[in-house]
Amino acid sequence: MKENNFSFLWKLFKPYSYLMLFAIFGGIIESLAMAGIVFIIKNIIDDVFIAKDLTSLKFVVTAIVVIAFFKQLGFFMRDYLYPLAIFKVVRNIRADIYNKILNAEPSFFVDNNLGDILSRITNDLEAFTKTVKLLSVNLITQIFTVVAMIIVLIYRDWQLFLIFLVSVPFLALALNYFGNKRKKYSQRLRESFAEFTQIINQILTGIEVVKLFDKKPFIALFQKINNKLYHRQKKDIFYESIYLAVVEFIGYSATAAIVFYGGYRIISGNLSTGEFFSFLGGVVILINSLQVLQRGAVQIKALNPIIDRLRFLLMIPQEEDKGIEFKGLKEKILYKDVYLKIKENQILNGINLRIKAGEKLGIVGLTGSGKSTMVKILPALIKNYQGEVFLDEHELREYRVSSLRKRIGMVSQDVFIFNDTVRNNLLIAKPDATDEEIIQALKKAKADFVFKLEKGLDTVLGEKGSRLSGGERQRLSIARIFLKRPNILIIDEGTSALDVKTEEEVINNIFSEFEKNTILMITHRLKILEKTQRIVVIDKGKIVEEGTKDELIKKKGVFYRFITISGEKFKG
Ligand SMILES: Nc1ncnc2c1ncn2[C@@H]1O[C@H](COP(=O)(O)OP(=O)(O)OP(=O)(O)O)[C@@H](O)[C@H]1O
Ligand SMILES: [Mg+2]
């Protein structure tokens, strides 16, 4: 195992070393008991079966029961306590990963694939649990058994033992060859599992779109991934089986050699039958243990890629929460030469913009022009921009991230409703809100439909709010804003799914409720733009025009063309 993976495991298991010690102790008891049984075979055969001595029979039977009791006691200790320690460790890993994801740098989710992350948490963590369990429960115990058996065998007949030793280099060769193969395919198998989870995740999220369009490309893609997964599983199991077959064959050959030499010695009278069978019993147990041990060694190699994939999650870059507390905007927001590149695409291309505290600003632009990107910078959802963005006299990156998010509210294009009650969906905006406050917020957001739901605030909304319409989801997301009462409010087409009348009412409520606050409003509707004091027009990541609605129309520039193309909607 890789050095750093080993110390990784060590750190995880250290708090539970007391459990591991008891489990190891159990393993030692079990191994000693096995040695006892092998030892006593000689007495059973020589004293009872051949010498026909009744006292020996009583002794032997009592010994068998006592030894069996200790053997099973040891077995229980290792078979229960190792997994217990592992489950505790895995519970900690799960919690750790969950926290790491919650506090991840937002860019992590741009750079990494969701399905892959999911697969690591599910498939890889499961494989980790299984493999470590196998390793500890079997591997550690078998080491003691091997040592105990070797001592018994040497004590019984060192010459016979030397014959057995001849097989060891062959076993080692087999281990090395097949171990490397398994490591390779284990790694590939993990990647295939990740691809599989990824595509299933995609289909499930987009099932309606999949149904509405041609399914063939989805099927073809899936078949490719599914077949690849199958082929890798096939290789994986092939190398495991053939490895076991080879090892067993080596074991049988060694046994045959021992029977040959042992039989010869019995015939020539310098080995008792009891001694021979006791030795043979020991060899059978030893080969079995060695085999488990070797399989464990192969597993250790397979474990490396799994641990690597888990550690990747545990090392997700984390957001630091330190800096100046943002207490609310006093003077201005200032974008100064802001550029942003995502994967070779220039998304923001020199944004320069000054927004006065308390200003109501409209933002317009063609789709994909960078509007959402520009405003996402404010609550630090995007940090890797070039240039500077000031909130009053400090640059955004000097502020504590949590303080920015606490006082900057955003109703985004993509509404996130989680599978819980209406109440809990709203409480994320203000954890200590009373039902009365929640009801008021819902009313201001025109989300009266909630009151008609069979369980009202206690209605569970389904995954992604599946039991709500698009407009209903948007209104819940706006209700959150009334609870949160942010200092700077960003509305990114947050009312686009509402009918014109409801939208106007909601927007009126927002403007009167947040009269003194700064509001950035991304919208295509002229009626809403009219309520703002100034409009900026974004095109290809740049501000190309700004002014009031009337000024912009008079100018007959981009904005004018934009609203004449949009026709009806903009006549307002
Ligand atoms: N995570 C991302 N990875 C790659 N490209 C991105 C990412 N997010 C945004 N972009 C790209 O940045 C550009 C601007 O996106 P943005 O969401 O800011 O546009 P927008 O003006 O809000 O458009 P819309 O009106 O459609 O909401 C788009 O071309 C988009 O493809
Ligand atoms: Mg957008």
Side-chain angles (χ1 to χ4, degrees):
M1 178 168 317
K2 277 199 243 163
E3 164 103 31
N4 51 358
N5 281 348
F6 189 77
S7 64
F8 167 77
L9 284 181
W10 172 245
K11 247 189 249 138
L12 288 174
F13 281 95
K14 211 170 153 202
Y16 308 111
S17 42
Y18 67 99
L19 281 179
M20 306 295 273
L21 280 179
F22 276 112
I24 289 174
F25 184 60
I28 293 176
I29 296 180
E30 198 187 1
S31 302
L32 287 177
M34 300 251 268
I37 287 177
V38 169
F39 214 79
I40 216 167
I41 290 176
K42 175 190 179 302
N43 304 67
I44 297 174
I45 293 174
D46 285 350
D47 303 350
V48 181
F49 296 165
I50 295 176
K52 303 191 176 21
D53 176 33
L54 196 61
T55 331
S56 292
L57 177 64
K58 286 177 192 160
F59 165 73
V60 161
V61 170
T62 318
I64 289 176
V65 173
V66 172
I67 291 174
F69 172 78
F70 280 105
K71 181 178 170 297
Q72 292 321 108
L73 179 72
F75 164 80
F76 173 77
M77 283 170 75
R78 75 165 163 102
D79 207 53
Y80 175 64
L81 296 178
Y82 278 129
L84 191 65
I86 293 164
F87 293 148
K88 281 173 189 277
V89 164
V90 170
R91 177 182 60 184
N92 294 346
I93 297 180
R94 280 194 301 257
D96 200 357
I97 291 177
Y98 189 72
N99 284 327
K100 289 274 160 46
I101 288 178
L102 278 184
N103 293 318
E105 277 293 347
S107 61
F108 176 78
F109 303 102
V110 178
D111 302 334
N112 290 281
N113 179 300
L114 208 65
D116 180 60
I117 299 174
L118 268 178
S119 172
R120 287 173 198 253
I121 303 173
T122 51
N123 299 333
D124 290 302
L125 197 56
E126 177 60 29
F128 173 81
T129 314
K130 231 172 78 186
T131 313
V132 174
K133 206 165 104 197
L134 200 96
L135 286 180
S136 54
V137 175
N138 293 327
L139 199 64
I140 302 181
T141 320
Q142 299 303 340
I143 291 175
F144 301 125
T145 308
V146 166
V147 172
M149 285 310 135
I150 289 176
I151 292 172
V152 172
L153 291 182
I154 292 176
Y155 175 83
R156 275 280 172 252
D157 197 312
W158 64 270
Q159 287 163 309
L160 272 179
F161 184 70
L162 280 185
I163 290 195
F164 170 75
L165 275 189
V166 173
S167 63
V168 171
F170 294 103
L171 290 175
L173 271 178
L175 167 75
N176 192 33
Y177 178 74
F178 292 106
N180 287 335
K181 287 280 185 209
R182 292 248 10 234
K183 181 177 152 195
K184 186 166 120 192
Y185 285 102
S186 157
Q187 163 100 35
R188 294 189 180 169
L189 196 56
R190 314 278 15 121
E191 287 163 8
S192 268
F193 269 122
E195 275 182 348
F196 174 76
T197 314
Q198 209 169 300
I199 190 164
I200 293 290
N201 179 42
Q202 252 179 42
I203 290 285
L204 288 177
T205 7
I207 189 72
E208 291 184 353
V209 177
V210 172
K211 280 182 182 299
L212 286 173
F213 291 91
D214 192 352
K215 292 197 191 75
K216 274 194 215 104
F218 293 107
I219 293 171
L221 183 65
F222 182 77
Q223 265 174 353
K224 216 172 110 195
I225 289 171
N226 199 15
N227 282 337
K228 200 155 83 181
L229 179 57
Y230 158 76
H231 279 296
R232 288 174 175 180
Q233 279 179 318
K234 192 175 81 177
K235 288 264 184 183
D236 196 49
I237 193 70
F238 172 75
Y239 282 113
E240 178 168 324
S241 307
I242 196 160
Y243 158 75
L244 289 179
V246 168
V247 165
E248 288 217 2
F249 181 72
I250 297 172
Y252 280 119
S253 306
T255 311
I258 288 164
V259 170
F260 177 74
Y261 183 64
Y264 171 77
R265 296 255 308 274
I266 291 181
I267 292 168
S268 51
N270 53 21
L271 189 73
S272 82
T273 315
E275 279 168 333
F276 175 75
F277 277 104
S278 170
F279 188 91
L280 201 61
V283 164
V284 169
I285 293 177
L286 181 58
I287 288 180
N288 178 57
S289 295
L290 282 178
Q291 206 173 317
V292 177
L293 217 58
Q294 285 200 323
R295 212 182 314 166
V298 175
Q299 292 283 350
I300 285 188
K301 292 195 178 179
L303 188 61
N304 263 325
I306 298 174
I307 294 185
D308 286 342
R309 288 176 58 81
L310 285 179
R311 290 181 68 189
F312 171 81
L313 290 185
L314 293 169
M315 289 185 308
I316 295 177
Q318 300 288 290
E319 285 194 305
E320 278 191 54
D321 198 27
K322 58 175 200 214
I324 312 166
E325 182 84 7
F326 175 64
K327 296 205 177 99
L329 196 65
K330 295 190 188 68
E331 195 197 338
K332 53 146 205 292
I333 300 171
L334 181 67
Y335 283 79
K336 234 172 127 180
D337 290 323
V338 177
Y339 290 82
L340 178 76
K341 231 180 187 174
I342 303 179
K343 295 173 188 156
E344 301 309 306
N345 295 324
Q346 195 70 46
I347 311 294
L348 298 182
N349 210 355
I351 297 269
N352 281 292
L353 177 64
R354 190 188 180 93
I355 306 162
K356 280 206 303 276
E359 185 174 351
K360 313 287 176 278
L361 181 79
I363 301 173
V364 199
L366 287 179
T367 177
S369 54
K371 305 180 294 292
S372 298
T373 308
M374 182 186 122
V375 294
K376 272 186 197 163
I377 288 180
L378 294 178
L381 293 178
I382 293 172
K383 299 175 180 170
N384 53 340
Y385 56 86
Q386 282 151 7
E388 289 163 309
V389 179
F390 287 93
L391 295 182
D392 298 330
E393 68 271 31
H394 294 287
E395 215 282 332
L396 213 55
R397 287 175 271 219
E398 292 172 39
Y399 288 105
R400 240 173 68 162
V401 169
S402 62
S403 73
L404 291 171
R405 294 192 185 142
K406 197 167 150 199
R407 293 186 176 80
I408 300 177
M410 182 148 136
V411 182
S412 38
Q413 273 173 303
D414 315 308
V415 177
F416 172 58
I417 304 285
F418 52 93
N419 189 9
D420 205 330
T421 58
V422 177
R423 183 184 290 103
N424 286 341
N425 263 285
L426 292 176
L427 282 179
I428 60 168
K430 189 180 180 199
D432 59 349
T434 62
D435 275 6
E436 187 47 37
E437 286 175 290
I438 292 178
I439 289 168
Q440 286 310 319
L442 286 168
K443 283 186 178 156
K444 287 175 201 159
K446 290 273 153 203
D448 303 87
F449 68 91
V450 169
F451 309 130
K452 295 197 197 86
L453 294 173
E454 75 272 25
K455 288 190 186 151
L457 291 181
D458 292 311
T459 313
V460 176
L461 294 173
E463 227 174 305
K464 292 192 190 154
S466 57
R467 58 164 298 174
L468 299 177
S469 76
E472 287 169 342
R473 282 199 282 266
Q474 278 194 341
R475 278 175 282 168
L476 282 192
S477 137
I478 292 164
R480 283 181 184 151
I481 288 300
F482 285 112
L483 283 173
K484 180 170 170 167
R485 309 198 49 79
N487 177 262
I488 299 173
L489 175 57
I490 300 164
I491 302 200
D492 187 354
E493 291 175 57
T495 52
S496 57
L498 306 185
D499 62 82
V500 179
K501 183 169 161 283
T502 313
E503 181 178 35
E504 200 173 352
E505 285 170 355
V506 171
I507 295 288
N508 283 342
N509 287 346
I510 290 176
F511 274 81
S512 65
E513 182 91 9
F514 299 104
E515 203 187 339
K516 295 200 174 66
N517 303 42
T518 317
I519 301 183
L520 311 187
M521 181 80 82
I522 300 177
T523 177
H524 293 298
R525 296 225 182 138
L526 202 57
K527 197 116 193 188
I528 297 175
L529 288 172
E530 268 170 3
K531 294 180 200 293
T532 62
Q533 296 154 352
R534 187 166 58 120
I535 298 166
V536 293
V537 183
I538 314 266
D539 191 25
K540 299 196 183 95
K542 227 176 174 158
I543 293 179
V544 288
E545 271 175 23
E546 64 168 278
T548 63
K549 186 196 99 188
D550 294 333
E551 287 167 2
L552 288 177
I553 288 178
K554 237 181 255 162
K555 211 171 176 180
K556 298 219 161 163
V558 183
F559 183 75
Y560 179 79
R561 281 202 301 281
F562 192 45
I563 61 170
T564 36
I565 300 168
S566 311
E568 270 312 306
K569 212 163 156 192
F570 276 93
K571 279 183 198 145

